[in-house]
Amino acid sequence: MSALRIEGLRKLLGGRAVLDGLALDVPEGALVAILGASGSGKTTLLRLVCGFEEADAGTIALAGRVVSGPGLHVPAPARGVGYVPQEGALFPHLSVAGNVAFGLPRAGRRDVLRIGRLLELVGLPAGFAARSPQALSGGEQQRVALARALAPQPRLVLLDEPFSALDAGLRAETREAVAAALREAGATALFVTHDQAEALSLGDAVAVLRDGRVAQMADPVTLYRRPADAALARFVGEAVMLPGMATAGQAVCALGLLALAEGVPDGNVTLMLRPEQIRLVAETEADAVSGRVRSVVFHGHDARVDVVLAGGAEVAALVPGHACPAAGDAVWLAVRGPAVAYAP
């Protein structure tokens, strides 16, 4: 059974359709990332699922129970959905234990062992229960907010950009702890993010919002390697796009003759490669293409190298930091792995 099923969802804000015919099916126990540009309706989607706002059209069903539809709007407290807002939004006048227990029935709010188990589930010592939220780091506050959302044992947990306010090191540590806690709890979760690396590394599946709908929902590997169209390829990660001519499962372009990931009709195509597929090789390697380095962006462990090919086309290669050339160097390139082809 689906934990969440949405069909034909529509929401108008200021006369504009932020969501327009959106459909989404989330299986039980899945951790699904919602990815999209600013203003694509990511937070609006969560608010509609949670019941904070009413939809203008469409249906929302939780574990087979319709909670939003024509003439129906089940209020948020009756939906049994956990919600983790940005920056946690803990109650400053309550202790950590008080925050975690807030959503529990009155009798359960005194269950010290249960509160301790919830804290340990999110990677915090049970001894944190007596602390004030102000005494915690940003990452610890986010974990407390998750423990609070998990306390009533909801079938669905919604997280609205829960790591956006954290610095890079703390963000990585916190998101791994949160993902582990959600999986250990067996909860289904939907989390909104604008960080593509975060979506690809945490989600069992990633749904990309565009023009008020889900443009593609797939597992992270499929989404990255086989985007549904050229616009998605450019949005999800870096993409090298080149015109080419496809014939019998191969294509000729400025980088030579490339294998194609899937069969496409013969003719003009737009080819997509990821920068890490383009490697620097020796001049003597078969099928090597010559070029000159225009610029280098050094990241330490790797570097992005922008190369102008002999024919004038520009491509970007991702190379190990120790093998980084300098601007102006002559280089030779080769491609590993197939290209993805789209109609021009």
Side-chain angles (χ1 to χ4, degrees):
M1 178 186 293
S2 298
L4 170 66
R5 176 167 289 174
I6 299 173
E7 296 178 345
L9 190 63
R10 180 176 172 85
K11 179 63 179 178
L12 299 172
L13 292 176
R16 181 177 74 91
V18 178
L19 301 177
D20 192 8
L22 182 142
L24 183 67
D25 195 343
V26 179
E28 284 193 1
L31 179 54
V32 176
I34 303 296
L35 184 63
S38 296
S40 61
K42 302 186 298 295
T43 294
T44 299
L45 173 60
L46 290 198
R47 293 182 64 82
L48 291 171
V49 172
C50 203
F52 294 157
E53 296 184 20
E54 294 190 33
D56 293 304
T59 61
I60 301 173
L62 299 172
R65 174 194 175 208
V66 177
V67 295
S68 178
L72 173 67
H73 176 76
V74 176
R79 294 195 181 190
V81 174
Y83 183 73
V84 181
Q86 292 184 37
E87 302 182 23
L90 300 179
F91 302 113
H93 63 289
L94 296 179
S95 66
V96 166
N99 271 280
V100 173
F102 182 80
L104 294 174
R106 189 171 299 275
R109 296 180 186 179
R110 300 184 183 86
D111 190 338
V112 176
L113 290 178
R114 182 175 181 182
I115 293 169
R117 284 195 297 270
L118 283 163
L119 289 175
E120 290 172 353
L121 178 66
V122 298
L124 294 175
F128 272 38
R131 294 192 181 185
S132 163
Q134 294 89 327
L136 306 181
S137 69
E140 289 166 346
Q141 290 183 29
Q142 284 300 98
R143 298 190 199 191
V144 173
L146 178 61
R148 179 178 62 188
L150 291 173
Q153 297 180 309
R155 301 188 71 168
L156 178 66
V157 178
L158 308 178
L159 303 97
D160 188 4
E161 301 213 37
F163 317 115
S164 60
L166 306 179
D167 61 54
L170 191 56
R171 185 183 306 131
E173 175 189 337
T174 304
R175 70 190 183 196
E176 289 171 8
V178 166
L182 288 167
R183 290 193 169 98
E184 186 173 341
T188 305
L190 210 62
F191 75 94
V192 157
T193 181
H194 64 274
D195 186 322
Q196 296 172 14
E198 189 170 276
L200 294 172
S201 63
L202 288 187
D204 298 317
V206 181
V208 182
L209 297 193
R210 185 179 66 195
D211 299 329
R213 301 188 177 197
V214 175
Q216 184 176 2
M217 179 173 170
D219 65 89
V221 172
T222 299
L223 180 66
Y224 185 76
R225 292 182 179 173
R226 308 282 188 272
D229 55 47
L232 274 173
R234 293 186 182 96
F235 179 71
V236 181
E238 285 196 70
V240 176
M241 313 297 290
L242 293 169
M245 176 65 70
T247 306
Q250 296 179 308
V252 175
C253 68
L255 285 168
L257 182 64
L258 307 181
L260 296 179
E262 297 177 359
V264 296
D266 292 351
N268 292 323
V269 292
T270 296
L271 300 173
M272 189 279 289
L273 294 163
R274 296 302 185 185
E276 61 270 21
Q277 290 182 258
I278 302 173
R279 55 195 179 97
L280 273 58
V281 298
E283 180 181 1
T284 54
E285 183 162 326
D287 301 323
V289 175
S290 65
R292 190 166 297 276
V293 177
R294 182 173 63 82
S295 62
V296 175
V297 179
F298 185 68
H299 299 132
H301 52 81
D302 59 26
R304 175 196 162 108
V305 180
D306 293 314
V307 178
V308 181
L309 302 178
E314 293 190 22
V315 299
L318 195 65
V319 305
H322 67 83
C324 180
D329 284 356
V331 293
W332 285 263
L333 306 176
V335 174
R336 60 183 173 191
V340 177
Y342 302 105

